[in-house]
Amino acid sequence: MKAKTESYASQHRERHLEELKELLRIPSISTLSEHKKDVHRCAEWLSGALTHAGLENVEIMPTAGLPIVYGDWLHAPGKPTILVYGHYDVQPADPLDEWHSEPFEPVIRDGKIYARGATDDKAQLWIHVKAAETFLKAVGSLPLNIKFILEGEEEITSPSLAPFVEKHAEKLKADAIVISDSPMLERGKPALLYGLRGVAGVEIEMLAARNDLHSGLYGGGVPNAVHALAGLLDSFHDEDGRVAVEGFYDRVIQLTEQERGELARVSQDEGKIREDLGLSELFGEKGYTFTERTTARPTLEVTGISGGFAGEGIKPIVPARASAKIACRLVADQRPEEIFELIERHVAVHTPSGLKASVKRVLQGNPFLTPADHPVMVAAAAALEEAYGEKTALTRGGGSIPIVDVFERLLQAPVVMMGFGLPDENLHAPNEHFDLDNFDKGLQAVCVFWEKLDNQ
């Protein structure tokens, strides 16, 4: 089977790339209303591409916003079902004068294809479409069942995705979700992203008197909202950099020695980080590396503070109000709702007598973790290693990707972040591109991955 798929992919490579160029020519910019027709046109083009690949039940499904393209092939009874997600919308191309070629007229230079949307995410989703075509045309069937969901709103935070997935949960039901919209470590070094941090954000307001007071008349005799808030913010961490909110770490899944070893393989040079950032020292939770702190440990950061008079000169007052914004990055199995409650309790305990403090919940998202030893992850890692001839790195991301939480929460299936982009491919920037070596090896890796899932 492998010989057939590799032969077909090689024979049809030029056609596959010409079709990719057609896809990249469509300016499917979801952020600009004048390109709404182009986004719809792109959905129609992909609908035709899925049909040509041999997928069935292909349809353009409406949402409250821009459409989602669906297609499937479900003729492998007893075999796993995977749901492949991708997005066909792109960012605006500005600033246009910094492009070396037209952003929506793709060109190939030095083994790379240049165009807006090349790495984010059209070439990456195209790998999966062509993998399905390769099996269906060369072998006559797929080694498993497959469903595609391609959306047009990812670049505007996917507002219609969660309601769509919730409404069509039975239709989208799968044993695993596969997403190719992330980078490898570097050229020739594949990686699987198996964890992402969640987020919980709050705004705290500290209230003292009804209004600001003259410091000559009242200073030293009334509470100062800025002083009180500063003390409260200081109470959020201990001297070792740990979050001092009671219960904050109770649900945290501790890193295993194997995980720490994997993260050590991809750890950044802390000396170079200090130099690049102009810092004399890094900061963080004692006992963890910079990479562990920024990807696999929870945090609480003060992101903004205001109060009193901040204009030129000094205004002699006792401030009546002060406020701060806080963002927590969460790891499995922490939940934003519980963190909100813990912060609210901490604020109540540490608010000085005579003042009032309120906490407003403003931002939340769950962390994501697919255990690295999950069978689907083992198969994906082995497939990447076979295609690239290099051991697959298992990494975590420090940020959040809302769509991952949507799929994991609503479909209750493991998510495999199997990216084929490179960190320096200028996504969202001029001269965005995609390395065609990763198109070839990515196609091979996906085909091998599907076969390995078939054999589990």
Side-chain angles (χ1 to χ4, degrees), residues 315-361:
K315 184 179 182 182
I317 60 169
V318 180
R321 296 171 181 264
S323 63
K325 300 176 186 291
I326 288 175
C328 300
R329 290 293 178 175
L330 311 180
V331 298
D333 270 339
Q334 291 178 304
R335 290 294 176 264
E337 296 81 5
E338 294 181 6
I339 297 301
F340 287 143
E341 292 176 3
L342 295 176
I343 290 175
E344 288 163 357
R345 194 177 309 152
H346 183 93
V347 169
V349 169
H350 289 81
T351 297
S353 177
L355 293 100
K356 295 179 181 179
S358 63
V359 179
K360 180 182 179 182
R361 304 178 181 188

Side-chain angles (χ1 to χ4, degrees), residues 223-290:
N224 184 310
V226 172
H227 290 181
L229 181 62
L232 171 63
L233 297 180
D234 187 57
S235 74
F236 278 119
H237 292 89
D238 67 17
E239 60 185 14
D240 290 327
R242 283 177 60 86
V243 177
V245 174
E246 186 176 352
F248 188 82
Y249 294 96
D250 285 358
R251 290 174 60 99
V252 173
I253 297 177
Q254 299 299 318
L255 285 167
T256 66
E257 288 304 312
Q258 181 180 356
E259 284 181 297
R260 298 193 79 170
E262 287 290 339
L263 289 174
R265 288 181 57 221
V266 300
S267 287
Q268 300 161 277
D269 182 335
E270 296 192 5
K272 186 175 188 305
I273 293 169
R274 290 196 302 270
E275 182 180 345
D276 290 347
L277 298 180
L279 294 171
S280 60
E281 295 291 339
L282 297 177
F283 173 82
E285 188 181 2
K286 188 176 180 180
Y288 294 92
T289 66
F290 177 83

Side-chain angles (χ1 to χ4, degrees), residues 85-125:
Y85 165 87
H87 70 90
Y88 61 88
D89 63 322
V90 303
Q91 284 283 335
D94 307 74
L96 297 177
D97 61 351
E98 293 185 17
W99 283 80
H100 299 151
S101 55
E102 292 297 320
F104 293 105
E105 186 48 58
V107 297
I108 295 176
R109 298 193 301 269
D110 302 322
K112 304 168 185 176
I113 188 164
Y114 286 79
R116 171 57 84 229
T119 191
D120 183 26
D121 177 43
K122 289 181 176 179
Q124 297 204 60
L125 74 83

Side-chain angles (χ1 to χ4, degrees), residues 373-384:
D373 60 356
H374 190 289
V376 71
M377 293 291 288
V378 173
L384 287 167

